Amino acid sequence: MKKIINSKENIVSEMMDGYLSAYKRYFERVPGQQSAFFFKGRRKNKVSIVIGGGSGHEPLFIGFAGKGLADAVVSGNIFAAPNPQSIFETAKAVDEGQGVLFLYGCYAGDNMNFDMAEELCEMEDIRTGHVRVWDDCASAPKERIESRRGIAGDIYVIKVAGAAADAGLSFEEVLRITEKARDNINTIGLATSPGSIPGLNKPTFELGEDEIEFGMGLHGEPGIERTKMQPAEKLVKRMYQELSKEMELTKGQEVAILVNGLGSTTLLELNIVYHDLDKLMKADGLIVHDAEIKNYCTCQEMGGFSITILKLDEELKRYYNAPCHSPYYAREAIEA
Amino acid sequence: MTHLNIQQTLNMIIAVCDRVIESEPLLTEVDRQIGDGDHGIGMSEGMKKAKTALLEKASFETVNEVFKLTGMTMLNSMGGASGVIFGSLFLGGVKNLEPSSTLDASGFRLLLRGALDAVKKRGKAEVGDKTMVDALEPAVLAMEASDTDNLVALLEVASEAAQEGVENSKKYVAKFGKAQYLGERAVGHQDAGATSVSIIFKAMHDYLLSVA
């Protein structure tokens, strides 16, 4: 595996140096923290949004701080949650006395480190809360929703939370709306080929040349079914059916769609995915409010894609429609 | 041998660091079977940082400080589930132990009982959940069941119990971490965290043998 790196010890710190040097007009490093930064142009006197997780999934998380998005990002090592001290320092750097809301994917490591960070915040009288994103409906049954993983659904949760915080809502309201967004999002993925752990010359899993796996996790966690490769139309249909059943989608439901590439799948392919998805949604009478097709949440050169559906109501739409900007994720306001 | 002085305690922990660092490829391979393969690099990086911090400080007033610095460095350099859990392994028992310039058998028992309680509280895992508790709990229980004051003998039973725990972990379905999504498919594979615990106990036992 050819990776454009220097030494494996410095992968994350050099990545952060590169990003923060290039985009210095937007971001500043949290004092004393190599892998945490805040958005310089963030609005003041509002609830602060801090996001984070393991590195290696870019543009998540580093690409989702900015106008109308998160106020700060704290990154861990490759695929590993950030440590409690770095999360705490990041929260302290952006706290405006209105409370800090942590958003992260539901993984054991993230849950434990963010919980410890919240304990550290509590000792300094910083009000905190958290929303764990568990959108991957292939990762555990609905009855064990807290065992589900967070994947590309993170993006829409961050988007809505950022807009709700920017609107100057109270901590309780930002938390409630963010949880509502989280509770109306599901994602299912499909893997065509493995990613790698930078610095280790090994794939994250093995998959036959002619095989795909439905529901496979971003780190190669096994999914729900492994089959032979099929035409896009068939793959998309299977995934859409899972989501439709899970989310009880009915005619007239307004939705926002995210077709996310996992790393090495091309935009050409992702747009074909959307072509097939759109037909299925039209046939079911869904109203697509908005859709996006790009790489948002990846695992290095992993092949495959995920489909995320956000069910919208008038309240969520208001925050979904708000404009946002970061170097990796920018959107004009959507007129209501 | 009935007790370690501060320098010996420091040397023992550095030997533990070295052993875990050497074991990176093994831990990566074990974790890659049922996890995401990051355990080896995480443990090795954490132990490298801990070793550096220990060597830089060099002079300690109590054995407690040796464990505290090791745990804090791991907690705040590794991240991930391993950072919290393995940080707690070194940190969790420090408060149980009266600040002391020596570490004897009862000190080992107190330290590791505190570690086990902290790890279980933080991770909410029990034996049988396919986590590092599968190795840690039997090791601690074996130490508590033994009334020896000979450190070599004490760590020998602990190390054997930990290794047995690693073997037992193969039988379990995972309830935590990324392996939980595998269900029955995780059976037959040993837990990476338990493997690390066993390596740590073995390294402590080997160090004691070398100085006894």
Side-chain angles (χ1 to χ4, degrees):
Chain A
M1 181 83 58
K2 294 171 197 150
K3 292 296 273 189
I4 301 166
I5 61 170
N6 294 307
S7 69
K8 71 175 180 181
E9 285 76 21
N10 298 329
I11 291 171
V12 174
S13 79
E14 292 182 359
M15 172 189 78
M16 294 300 296
D17 280 347
Y19 187 70
L20 296 179
S21 303
Y23 296 112
K24 59 179 185 286
R25 68 186 184 281
Y26 300 123
F27 304 124
E28 192 175 315
R29 196 168 246 137
V30 173
Q33 298 301 319
Q34 175 63 26
S35 301
F37 62 89
F38 57 80
F39 172 46
K40 293 200 280 193
R42 69 191 189 284
R43 285 192 46 198
K44 299 295 161 71
N45 297 314
K46 66 172 196 70
V47 173
S48 305
I49 306 290
V50 173
I51 62 173
S55 295
H57 301 302
E58 294 69 28
L60 196 69
F61 288 86
I62 60 169
F64 293 88
K67 190 180 155 198
L69 296 166
D71 297 294
V73 179
V74 51
S75 294
N77 292 332
I78 299 290
F79 307 157
N83 68 64
Q85 193 69 31
S86 67
I87 299 168
F88 164 67
E89 295 293 344
T90 306
K92 207 162 80 170
V94 295
D95 177 41
E96 294 279 322
Q98 313 282 316
V100 178
L101 184 61
F102 295 112
L103 308 181
Y104 51 92
C106 185
Y107 293 88
D110 293 280
N111 298 348
M112 282 188 261
N113 282 279
F114 277 93
D115 279 353
M116 284 186 86
E118 285 197 58
E119 290 166 21
L120 296 174
C121 288
E122 198 181 323
M123 286 190 258
E124 297 222 354
D125 294 322
I126 298 172
R127 183 179 187 182
T128 62
H130 61 259
V131 176
R132 294 175 178 166
V133 182
W134 45 52
D135 55 316
D136 185 351
C137 57
S139 54
K142 214 176 206 168
E143 305 76 64
R144 291 196 291 116
I145 200 157
E146 295 186 15
S147 297
R148 286 183 172 176
R149 303 179 291 256
I151 46 177
D154 284 347
I155 279 88
Y156 281 163
V157 177
I158 295 164
K159 168 73 194 73
V160 168
D166 255 13
L169 303 185
S170 68
F171 188 81
E172 290 81 4
E173 278 293 280
V174 175
L175 178 61
R176 180 184 65 76
I177 291 164
T178 305
E179 284 178 337
K180 182 177 174 182
R182 186 268 316 272
D183 294 342
N184 280 285
I185 291 178
N186 280 112
T187 300
I188 185 164
L190 174 149
T192 57
S193 62
S196 67
I197 304 176
L200 290 178
N201 283 321
K202 282 185 177 174
T204 46
F205 56 88
E206 278 150 24
L207 193 61
E209 188 54 37
D210 58 344
E211 286 180 322
I212 59 106
E213 187 159 321
F214 290 105
M216 182 169 254
L218 270 184
H219 315 85
E221 302 95 328
I224 51 176
E225 192 191 343
R226 189 173 280 209
T227 65
K228 294 284 176 203
M229 185 61 187
Q230 298 159 25
E233 191 181 20
K234 290 199 169 159
L235 301 175
V236 172
K237 188 172 180 187
R238 168 79 204 269
M239 293 163 79
Y240 174 71
Q241 282 171 342
E242 289 282 335
L243 284 171
S244 178
K245 198 172 89 190
E246 166 73 28
M247 303 182 83
E248 298 171 2
L249 297 176
T250 52
K251 191 173 176 205
Q253 174 68 54
E254 276 200 88
V255 293
I257 305 296
L258 193 71
V259 171
N260 171 57
L262 298 183
S264 67
T265 296
T266 63
L267 285 172
L268 179 150
E269 295 165 283
L270 297 179
N271 279 285
I272 291 172
V273 165
Y274 192 78
H275 156 86
D276 292 317
L277 182 62
D278 198 49
K279 282 199 282 191
L280 294 165
M281 293 190 294
K282 279 199 178 116
D284 276 358
L286 299 187
I287 300 166
V288 181
H289 177 67
D290 190 40
E292 306 201 51
I293 305 167
K294 212 157 57 178
N295 287 358
Y296 296 97
C297 172
T298 67
C299 181
Q300 299 302 299
E301 51 286 283
M302 183 169 173
F305 64 94
S306 62
I307 299 171
T308 299
I309 298 182
L310 164 61
K311 288 204 278 190
L312 290 167
D313 64 3
E314 287 310 311
E315 183 180 51
L316 288 178
K317 232 159 83 177
R318 191 179 320 145
Y319 302 108
Y320 182 89
N321 287 349
C324 64
H325 180 274
S326 91
Y328 292 159
Y329 186 60
R331 225 178 58 198
E332 303 266 353
I334 298 173
E335 298 302 328
Chain B
M1 167 173 251
T2 57
H3 65 272
L4 296 178
N5 62 28
I6 293 175
Q7 187 61 45
Q8 288 168 323
T9 304
L10 177 63
N11 292 346
M12 177 181 75
I13 298 300
I14 286 171
V16 166
C17 294
D18 287 335
R19 186 70 64 85
V20 173
I21 295 164
E22 285 161 28
S23 306
E24 182 188 323
L26 167 73
L27 291 171
T28 299
E29 192 48 41
V30 168
D31 190 35
R32 215 170 61 86
Q33 299 294 326
I34 51 172
D36 58 16
D38 66 357
H39 186 68
I41 195 164
M43 285 299 290
S44 151
E45 289 305 309
M47 284 300 201
K48 278 181 200 164
K49 296 262 165 56
K51 182 179 172 181
T52 305
L54 291 167
L55 291 174
E56 267 172 18
K57 183 163 161 69
S59 158
F60 295 83
E61 299 285 317
T62 63
V63 295
N64 305 56
E65 287 172 15
V66 175
F67 286 92
K68 190 173 171 194
L69 182 61
T70 307
M72 287 303 288
T73 308
M74 293 181 78
L75 179 66
N76 287 325
S77 67
M78 291 168 67
S82 300
V84 174
I85 293 298
F86 283 88
S88 301
L89 175 65
F90 289 90
L91 281 175
V94 172
K95 63 182 186 304
N96 294 13
L97 192 66
E98 284 293 313
S100 170
S101 58
T102 59
L103 183 62
D104 62 8
S106 74
F108 264 102
R109 289 188 189 96
L110 283 172
L111 264 179
L112 287 154
R113 163 51 63 181
L116 175 64
D117 291 346
V119 164
K120 287 174 76 170
K121 174 175 170 267
R122 194 56 73 182
K124 301 180 175 67
E126 297 292 333
V127 165
D129 291 344
K130 209 175 189 91
T131 71
M132 61 97 90
V133 173
D134 292 342
L136 181 59
E137 182 157 301
V140 173
L141 293 178
M143 290 170 78
E144 288 173 346
S146 156
D147 57 5
T148 182
D149 59 2
N150 179 330
L151 294 183
V152 177
L154 184 72
L155 267 296
E156 183 176 2
V157 296
S159 176
E160 280 171 3
Q163 181 52 40
E164 205 176 310
V166 172
E167 286 304 312
N168 285 335
S169 76
K170 293 180 182 172
K171 296 188 287 202
Y172 307 138
V173 170
K175 290 219 182 69
F176 293 92
K178 286 162 189 163
Q180 71 181 294
Y181 309 109
L182 282 169
E184 291 289 331
R185 283 177 284 174
V187 174
H189 298 283
Q190 70 197 56
D191 177 66
T195 308
S196 282
V197 169
S198 171
I199 289 167
I200 289 167
F201 274 96
K202 179 82 167 54
M204 289 196 287
H205 180 230
D206 287 348
Y207 171 79
L208 292 166
L209 272 176
S210 75
V211 294

